[in-house]
């Protein structure tokens, strides 16, 4: 057998999960081989016939090798910043009050609408580079700061272009139902616009991999979001939801039980029925500790209940200018452990195979298995727990995307 590249002498954390939900043991003196961008061998070096027949052989000298990391919830495409609002919040003004008085999401909407596609690309690429420096090889990117057909499409075109030009895979999410735009006073009328104008047109341009919505007092009601999801379902697009972040409205339960949502995200206020609904539907719970931290929230997501119910837990940055201006997935892992009580192993599963499942890409990425894309992160650490442990170190040695790197 002839390979394109073989990485030898690694300590492999495969991300494969056994029947009991326990990850495989580390494979010492392990090899990963790549052929045409896909993994064609993974396992102990002894198993490979010697001499190894490959165009390129890279000795990683005992370093830890994991699947490339996956950030399954970001708003990385945006313009400007909201440091002014952060100062107001530090002085005691609540996030929801800022949103209700025309700031918050609406202030980023103004900046995104003003920005050219090129400006938006340049500003967003900078944040994407920071994510990549943490070993990220796949990123989900949402719209939601355009809030009309033209600007939502502009955001998702930028997202697609990032995927074409930045050596990273991008999964796009249409989040037209993120907030009501400044020019519209009626939420139901805006939802009509999302369903009849934005969604069909932007889907027609091939820009939508999934549909998201924000169920919250400052966002939309369960009934309004149900209408959006019905429209997505008619077009055959999978859905996910921002839900139970600041209050319990039942958005996660609706999305899971009625639409088999890929994921429900935030979930600080999720109740028992919501947990059961996620478990039954196989919906991934995406934890976003960056937003919890940055908004100084105190109510934590019911991690013990989710775990007991067997709901897969993913972890993401929620990179956005208002509630989580964070472009480090390793830091999100640290916060998931320190703030929410995940184990370091759970945090790593949360940015690999469980994150892949939240994007319905678990057949292609998220673990080191033959046939999957050869996306790897090679680390200057001894143990997987160190990935979530070091703060601000960025222990990445080498990032491999589709066999390159
Ligand atoms: O995921 N929750 C809603 N949306 C974002 C925040 C958006 C913003 O404040 O700009 C979030 O936290
Ligand atoms: Fe978000």
């Amino acid at each position: 057998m002839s390979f394109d590249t073989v990485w030898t002498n690694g300590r492999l954390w495969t991300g494969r999960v056994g029947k009991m939900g326990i990850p495989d043991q580390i494979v010492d003196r392990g090899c990963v081989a790549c052929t045409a961008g896909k993994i064609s061998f993974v396992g102990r070096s002894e198993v490979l016939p010697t001499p190894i027949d490959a165009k390129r052989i890279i000795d990683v000298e005992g370093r830890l090798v994991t699947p490339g990391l996956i950030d399954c919830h970001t708003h990385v495409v945006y313009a400007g910043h909201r440091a002014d609002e952060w100062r107001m919040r530090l002085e005691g003004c609540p996030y929801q009050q800022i949103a209700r008085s025309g700031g918050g999401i609406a202030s980023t909407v103004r900046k995104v609408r003003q920005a050219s596609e090129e400006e938006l690309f340049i500003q967003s690429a900078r944040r994407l580079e920071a994510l990549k420096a943490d070993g990220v090889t796949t990123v989900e990117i949402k719209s939601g700061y355009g809030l009309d057909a033209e600007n939502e499409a502009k955001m998702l075109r930028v997202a697609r272009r990032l995927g074409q030009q930045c050596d990273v895979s991008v999964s796009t999410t249409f989040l037209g139902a993120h907030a009501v735009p400044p020019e519209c006073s009626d939420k139901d009328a805006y939802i009509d616009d999302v369903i009849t104008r934005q969604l069909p047109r932007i889907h027609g341009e091939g820009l939508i991999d999934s549909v998201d919505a924000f169920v919250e007092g400052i966002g939309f009601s369960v009934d309004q979001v149900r209408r959006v999801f019905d429209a997505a379902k008619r077009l055959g697009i999978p859905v996910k939801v921002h839900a139970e972040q600041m209050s319990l409205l039942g958005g996660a339960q609706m999305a899971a039980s009625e639409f088999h949502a890929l994921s429900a995200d935030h979930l600080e206020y999720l109740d028992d029925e919501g947990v059961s609904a996620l478990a039954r539907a196989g919906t991934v719970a995406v934890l976003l500790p960056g937003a919890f931290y940055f908004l100084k929230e105190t109510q934590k997501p019911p991690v013990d209940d989710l775990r007991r119910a067997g709901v897969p837990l993913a972890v993401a940055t929620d990179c956005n200018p208002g509630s989580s201006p964070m472009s480090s997935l390793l830091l999100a892992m640290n916060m998931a452990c320190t703030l929410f009580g995940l184990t370091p192993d759970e945090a790593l599963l949360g940015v690999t195979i469980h994150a892949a499942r939240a994007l319905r890409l678990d057949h292609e990425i998220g673990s080191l298995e033959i046939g999957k894309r050869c996306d790897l992160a090679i680390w200057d650490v001894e143990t997987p727990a160190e990935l979530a442990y070091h703060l601000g170190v960025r222990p990445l040695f080498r990032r491999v995307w589709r066999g390159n790197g």
Side-chain angles (χ1 to χ4, degrees), residues 313-386:
L313 304 174
V315 176
T317 62
D318 196 13
C319 175
N320 79 70
S323 68
S324 186
M326 171 165 87
S327 304
S328 169
L329 192 53
L330 295 182
L331 183 54
M333 290 164 67
N334 174 278
M335 289 177 170
C337 297
T338 52
L339 300 174
F340 291 167
L342 264 64
T343 67
D345 260 334
E346 285 176 324
L348 189 49
L349 290 169
V351 297
T352 52
I353 192 64
H354 291 166
R357 183 162 161 186
L359 301 178
R360 202 182 270 174
L361 291 173
D362 44 326
H363 55 292
E364 281 182 35
I365 53 173
S367 59
L368 304 181
E369 288 180 79
I370 290 177
K372 286 196 176 183
R373 279 189 228 150
C374 189
D375 292 350
L376 313 174
I378 305 172
W379 306 95
D380 264 322
V381 300
E382 288 177 9
T383 64
E386 279 180 84

Side-chain angles (χ1 to χ4, degrees), residues 4-239:
D4 292 336
T5 307
V6 179
W7 291 266
T8 62
N9 198 17
R11 304 187 66 233
L12 312 183
W13 183 94
T14 65
R16 284 200 328 215
V17 181
K19 281 218 176 65
M20 306 299 287
I22 297 162
D24 277 5
Q25 297 280 330
I26 298 269
V27 181
D28 275 315
R29 289 182 304 284
C31 267
V32 180
C34 175
T35 308
K38 296 207 168 146
I39 295 174
S40 45
F41 174 83
V42 54
R44 293 180 71 95
S45 311
E46 296 91 270
V47 183
L48 275 183
T50 45
I52 295 172
D53 180 7
K55 294 183 192 126
R56 196 166 67 128
I57 298 175
I58 298 171
D59 183 348
V60 304
E61 300 172 331
R63 290 184 174 86
L64 182 73
V65 181
T66 69
L69 304 192
I70 300 164
D71 195 348
C72 67
H73 179 140
T74 88
H75 308 249
V76 101
V77 170
Y78 65 81
H81 63 84
R82 306 226 296 270
D84 42 350
E85 287 180 10
W86 180 53
R87 288 174 54 169
M88 285 165 66
R89 284 200 296 103
L90 289 173
E91 284 161 17
C93 188
Y95 179 73
Q96 302 190 54
Q97 188 177 317
I98 293 172
R100 291 208 165 88
S101 57
I105 292 170
S107 77
T108 301
V109 170
R110 285 189 286 276
K111 289 172 191 151
V112 165
R113 287 179 174 181
Q114 278 159 18
S116 70
E117 209 159 305
E118 189 61 24
E119 278 165 353
L120 206 47
F121 178 83
I122 292 167
Q123 291 190 34
S124 308
R126 202 175 301 145
R127 289 182 283 272
L128 193 57
E129 288 306 317
L131 289 174
K132 285 166 59 186
D134 265 1
V136 169
T137 49
T138 300
V139 184
E140 183 259 15
I141 302 180
K142 301 176 195 295
S143 65
Y145 293 119
L147 307 187
D148 61 32
E150 187 190 327
N151 286 288
E152 288 288 298
K154 176 171 84 177
M155 288 187 72
L156 293 179
R157 275 197 301 275
V158 169
R160 280 276 190 254
R161 194 176 142 204
L162 290 165
Q164 284 151 6
Q165 300 183 0
C166 297
D167 290 351
V168 70
S169 305
V170 168
S171 175
T172 58
T173 299
F174 170 62
L175 179 56
H178 193 197
V180 201
E183 67 276 8
C184 187
S185 54
D186 185 273
K187 286 190 182 182
D188 285 310
Y190 177 66
I191 291 293
D192 287 341
D193 189 72
V194 167
I195 294 169
T196 59
R197 293 166 57 94
Q198 299 184 32
L199 182 57
R201 172 176 152 192
I202 302 169
H203 175 62
E205 285 185 48
L207 294 171
I208 302 179
D209 295 331
S210 61
V211 167
D212 193 351
F214 185 25
V215 179
E216 192 60 66
I218 56 168
F220 297 94
S221 70
V222 167
D223 286 342
Q224 287 160 340
V225 168
R226 182 184 285 117
R227 292 177 55 212
V228 176
F229 287 177
D230 273 327
K233 191 174 169 184
R234 283 196 294 275
L235 294 170
I237 312 170
V239 304

Side-chain angles (χ1 to χ4, degrees), residues 248-272:
L248 173 64
L249 295 182
Q253 192 182 335
M254 176 274 290
S257 58
E258 296 176 33
F259 297 93
H260 287 91
L262 298 180
S263 71
D265 305 32
H266 285 291
L267 304 180
E268 277 79 349
Y269 287 83
L270 189 70
D271 62 356
D272 290 348

Side-chain angles (χ1 to χ4, degrees), residues 256 273-283 305-306 308-312 357:
E273 286 171 34
V275 171
S276 309
L278 297 194
R280 272 197 305 274
T283 299
D305 298 338
L306 288 163
R308 254 196 307 274
V311 175
R357 183 162 161 186

